[in-house]
Amino acid sequence: MELSLSSCSAFLILLSTIIAIAVIKLIALIYYQLTYWKKKGIPSVIEIPILGMTWKVLLGRINFQELVVELYRMKPGARYVGSMDFAKPMLVIRDPELLKDITVKQFDHFPDHLGFVDETVDPIFGRNVFSLRGERWREMRVTLSPSFTASKMRFMFDLVSMCSREFVNYFVENPEAGKNIEMKDAFTRYTNDVIATVAFGISVNSMKDKDNIFFKKGAEVTNFSGAR
């Protein structure tokens, strides 16, 4: 009987210790969230302690893009707004000039991005320029930068404008087609024409020639309905 009471007391002491540690950790996390941006003198928004603002995304009430827009509008006079993604600090840049400095002039100091796709899960999208980090991102940026100089961008703009005119002219010449449009299909075809013209130098009009080989192959490559 004495051994049983002793075991029970030891269990209660252990349970109480675990609960006390958990409560202290919880309090420390809440304190960290509430004071992190305040200590840095940055305006912040934390709707619910621990969950921060991301609880709406977790519950499916809004998507991540809508969350960023919501954060952007909460502090209309601020150049940037701090928030928390659980215990991870998150900074939303509001000022266009500051954003330009970060992404263009000071890009070398900001090599990491918020990851959406893990390379081990999806090797293709996990290796695109928006998912790469660190040295791999720097190397890819150096590789791509010569393709987006001012002169080349102006040339690309002319090509994109040409695709836009062809897209609009199709509906001008075929008014019946404009009465009932599948918008996803229409803009997929427009995007296909822009990529074909700008990236590959191929003149394609997917609105007129709906079964052209470039569009069909592109649709096959981006069809993930069979992936599980």
Side-chain angles (χ1 to χ4, degrees), residues 2-27:
E2 289 180 3
L3 183 60
S4 178
L5 288 173
S6 177
S7 299
C8 184
S9 298
F11 174 76
L12 290 174
I13 292 171
L14 179 61
L15 181 62
S16 300
T17 303
I18 293 173
I19 293 173
I21 293 173
V23 170
I24 292 170
K25 286 279 189 182
L26 188 63
I27 293 172

Side-chain angles (χ1 to χ4, degrees), residues 1 4 7 15 32 45-46 50-51 53 73 96 106 108 120 130-131 135 144 156 162 191 203 219:
M1 186 66 177
S4 178
S7 299
L15 181 62
Y32 172 78
V45 175
I46 300 176
I50 301 176
L51 295 179
M53 293 286 294
R73 291 174 177 170
Q106 305 292 334
D108 199 48
T120 58
F130 297 106
S131 299
E135 286 303 317
L144 292 176
M156 289 181 192
M162 182 186 70
T191 304
S203 180

Side-chain angles (χ1 to χ4, degrees), residues 48-211:
I48 298 179
I50 301 176
L51 295 179
M53 293 286 294
T54 54
W55 66 274
K56 294 180 181 179
V57 178
L58 293 174
L59 295 179
R61 294 182 59 180
I62 59 176
N63 57 42
F64 184 77
Q65 289 76 15
E66 291 170 330
L67 171 64
V68 174
V69 172
E70 191 173 311
L71 281 168
Y72 179 87
R73 291 174 177 170
M74 281 185 171
K75 299 286 184 178
R79 298 182 70 195
Y80 33 73
V81 180
S83 186
M84 284 285 175
D85 181 11
F86 294 100
K88 187 177 181 180
M90 180 170 64
L91 188 67
V92 178
I93 307 299
R94 298 187 74 260
D95 182 29
E97 289 302 318
L98 180 59
L99 186 61
K100 184 178 179 180
D101 285 341
I102 291 173
T103 56
V104 180
K105 296 179 181 178
Q106 305 292 334
F107 78 92
D108 199 48
H109 298 287
F110 299 91
D112 292 336
H113 306 82
L114 182 64
F116 293 99
V117 182
D118 193 296
E119 186 177 326
T120 58
V121 176
D122 193 328
I124 296 176
F125 285 96
R127 291 175 183 171
N128 73 55
V129 70
F130 297 106
S131 299
L132 294 177
R133 299 184 178 189
E135 286 303 317
R136 294 182 65 192
W137 176 80
R138 284 193 177 93
E139 292 171 2
M140 183 57 68
R141 194 184 192 284
V142 170
T143 302
L144 292 176
S145 291
S147 300
F148 295 93
T149 60
S151 59
K152 289 182 179 179
M153 290 293 285
R154 282 194 293 270
F155 180 69
M156 289 181 192
F157 180 79
D158 291 338
L159 295 176
V160 173
S161 297
M162 182 186 70
C163 293
S164 300
R165 287 193 296 271
E166 290 179 350
F167 182 76
V168 172
N169 289 338
Y170 172 80
F171 292 104
V172 172
E173 296 168 2
N174 301 274
E176 290 297 320
K179 293 182 178 180
N180 187 12
I181 308 172
E182 172 53 54
M183 298 302 292
K184 181 180 179 181
D185 178 70
F187 283 104
T188 297
R189 292 178 181 278
Y190 168 72
T191 304
N192 174 82
D193 293 355
V194 171
I195 294 173
T197 304
V198 174
F200 297 95
I202 303 172
S203 180
V204 179
N205 190 333
S206 298
M207 296 303 296
K208 285 186 177 180
D209 183 7
K210 296 189 180 294
D211 294 320

